[in-house]
């Protein structure tokens, strides 16, 4: 089975996010004043092959915890979507 | 009305993504071989105040096109979720 995976890696809620704060201030300079709590993270899209959804989940967990996310300062979530064989690429 | 917004900004599909390629190669070094088409982008979470969903959509479109995304090399999508007044923060 082939899966499309979207992984979201964000700075932990209890940590300050200076990059998000800078973006918020710049949005205010563009007169977009109604925005608050801006936080910036990473989004990773990939495709993977696995025998079933459980194996796919295990692979993504391993990729996140061993390479993609820094567990001290970041937290991650992911969504899996099964691809049909005729779907070449998807987002 | 208060909205939680998740904005995903990815490199355009027709462009190479060297960062994604590097991550894919590093996943292979961790014996995660079943992964392909790795692409890395940004995820931005924010909250905003607007009179209705249309106004919120307009604000996010303006923020993306004027500050957050580079339209030459990136494309963006976003999801809006209405927050109840009792929800202090959400992801």
């Amino acid at each position: 089975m082939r899966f499309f995976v979207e992984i979201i890696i964000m700075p932990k809620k209890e940590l300050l996010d200076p990059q998000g704060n800078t973006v918020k201030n710049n949005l205010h300079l563009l007169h977009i004043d109604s925005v608050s709590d801006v936080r910036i993270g990473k989004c990773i899209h990939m495709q993977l092959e696995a025998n079933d959804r459980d194996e796919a989940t295990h692979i993504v967990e391993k990729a996140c915890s061993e390479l993609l996310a820094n567990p001290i300062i970041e937290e991650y979530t992911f969504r899996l979507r099964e691809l049909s064989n005729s779907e070449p690429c998807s987002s």
Side-chain angles (χ1 to χ4, degrees), chain A residues 18-33 38:
Chain A
Q19 200 187 354
N21 223 18
T22 303
V23 166
K24 188 187 75 181
N25 292 339
N26 281 302
L27 286 170
H28 290 185
L29 291 177
L30 287 175
H31 306 292
I32 301 176
D33 298 315
V38 182

Side-chain angles (χ1 to χ4, degrees), chain A residues 1-73:
Chain A
M1 290 163 81
R2 205 150 57 92
F3 293 89
F4 172 77
V5 191
E6 180 174 87
I7 302 167
I8 304 287
I9 301 171
M10 299 299 294
K12 282 187 177 173
K13 289 198 177 58
E14 57 270 30
L15 299 180
L16 288 174
D17 179 13
Q19 200 187 354
N21 223 18
T22 303
V23 166
K24 188 187 75 181
N25 292 339
N26 281 302
L27 286 170
H28 290 185
L29 291 177
L30 287 175
H31 306 292
I32 301 176
D33 298 315
S34 56
V35 162
S36 62
D37 289 325
V38 182
R39 298 184 77 75
I40 311 229
K42 280 178 288 187
C43 176
I44 301 173
H45 286 174
M46 57 174 70
Q47 291 189 36
L48 69 83
E49 287 280 340
N51 291 322
D52 53 33
R53 183 169 282 269
D54 280 355
E55 192 191 49
T57 301
H58 178 77
I59 291 170
V60 177
E61 287 277 2
K62 181 176 158 75
C64 287
S65 60
E66 294 187 18
L67 182 70
L68 302 175
N70 176 348
I72 298 169
I73 57 168

Side-chain angles (χ1 to χ4, degrees), chain A residues 65-90:
Chain A
S65 60
E66 294 187 18
L67 182 70
L68 302 175
N70 176 348
I72 298 169
I73 57 168
E74 293 173 324
E75 57 197 5
Y76 61 86
T77 56
F78 58 87
R79 292 181 266 260
L80 286 173
R81 187 165 64 78
E82 196 183 334
L83 293 174
S84 66
N85 279 335
S86 57
E87 256 176 298
C89 182
S90 180

